[in-house]
Amino acid sequence: MKKIEEYVRSIPDFPEKGIIFRDVTSVLQDADGLTLAIDSMKELLKDVDFDVVVGLESRGFIFGVPIAYALHKPFVPIRKKGKLPLDTISKEYDLEYGSAVIEMHRDSIKPGQKVVVVDDLIATGGTVEAGIRMIEELGGEVVKVIFLMELAGLKGRERLKNYDVDSVIVYEGK
């Protein structure tokens, strides 16, 4: 069986010269790669006591839902602003050029719930940090944050230093 790293397509000089883009779609398009990715991420949770899985739009949904399903846990989506129909809580966060806003339903996390946050990739950590702040504002306790891939050169893990963060694949560069 191939290692999960072998399913990730690396594209040099995208979106700009000197950057190696790590393409998750090549993992998703291969049944063995997808199974290995989900199973590897699920393995990161084997000794974690938690109540709910939260996934960040949109690739956090791709990985978070099957993990929640396999472990018989509820799934809560964090979406881009304006996508959720009920009363929401929101956080703004900085992007490389500008800012963005994410939201979640105000009633999606109950006080005291232990939460696992799932996404495909950690780069600078800004999006997931905003998600964590919303979870905590609602009274949830983030007990684990997991990613399929990590770009260690962008230091996102440092931004989340107060949390238990784990990644299946760690790339040293950006």
Side-chain angles (χ1 to χ4, degrees):
M1 179 179 255
K2 291 171 33 175
K3 293 177 16 178
I4 188 64
E5 293 90 335
E6 295 176 66
Y7 291 96
V8 178
R9 184 170 38 203
S10 296
I11 303 166
D13 299 324
F14 183 83
E16 59 187 51
K17 190 162 181 56
I19 301 292
I20 300 174
F21 184 81
R22 307 298 180 173
D23 185 18
V24 74
T25 62
S26 56
V27 176
L28 302 175
Q29 293 169 349
D30 186 292
D32 291 335
L34 179 58
T35 300
L36 184 56
I38 299 297
D39 289 348
S40 299
M41 293 176 81
K42 196 173 70 175
E43 182 68 17
L44 298 176
L45 301 174
K46 70 179 178 191
D47 296 320
V48 179
D49 176 31
F50 67 100
D51 303 306
V52 63
V53 174
V54 170
L56 295 146
E57 186 167 342
S58 65
R59 291 175 301 242
F61 302 173
I62 293 169
F63 296 105
V65 168
I67 290 168
Y69 174 83
L71 299 175
H72 197 70
K73 302 290 184 181
F75 178 82
V76 171
I78 291 181
R79 306 263 348 241
K80 294 175 184 168
K81 184 179 173 133
K83 300 291 185 182
L84 295 171
L86 300 174
D87 188 25
T88 60
I89 180 174
S90 65
K91 287 287 179 234
E92 184 173 353
Y93 62 99
D94 292 329
L95 298 167
E96 189 175 353
Y97 303 105
S99 64
V101 178
I102 54 175
E103 297 180 322
M104 63 192 302
H105 280 136
R106 190 171 293 280
D107 65 355
S108 61
I109 300 293
K110 311 292 184 272
Q113 278 189 316
K114 294 177 182 172
V115 179
V116 166
V117 179
V118 175
D119 206 357
D120 70 318
L121 174 81
I122 179 171
T124 65
T127 308
V128 73
E129 181 186 43
I132 288 170
R133 285 187 289 154
M134 288 190 298
I135 292 163
E136 291 176 341
E137 190 173 321
L138 294 173
E141 176 192 357
V142 175
V143 295
K144 187 86 172 177
V145 185
I146 65 170
F147 304 94
L148 179 62
M149 298 183 288
E150 176 176 350
L151 303 179
L154 294 175
K155 304 186 185 318
R157 188 180 287 261
E158 290 176 20
R159 190 176 205 155
L160 306 176
K161 66 181 178 280
N162 296 325
Y163 301 94
D164 184 0
V165 175
D166 222 340
S167 303
V168 175
I169 306 168
V170 178
Y171 294 105
E172 293 306 318
K174 299 179 181 181

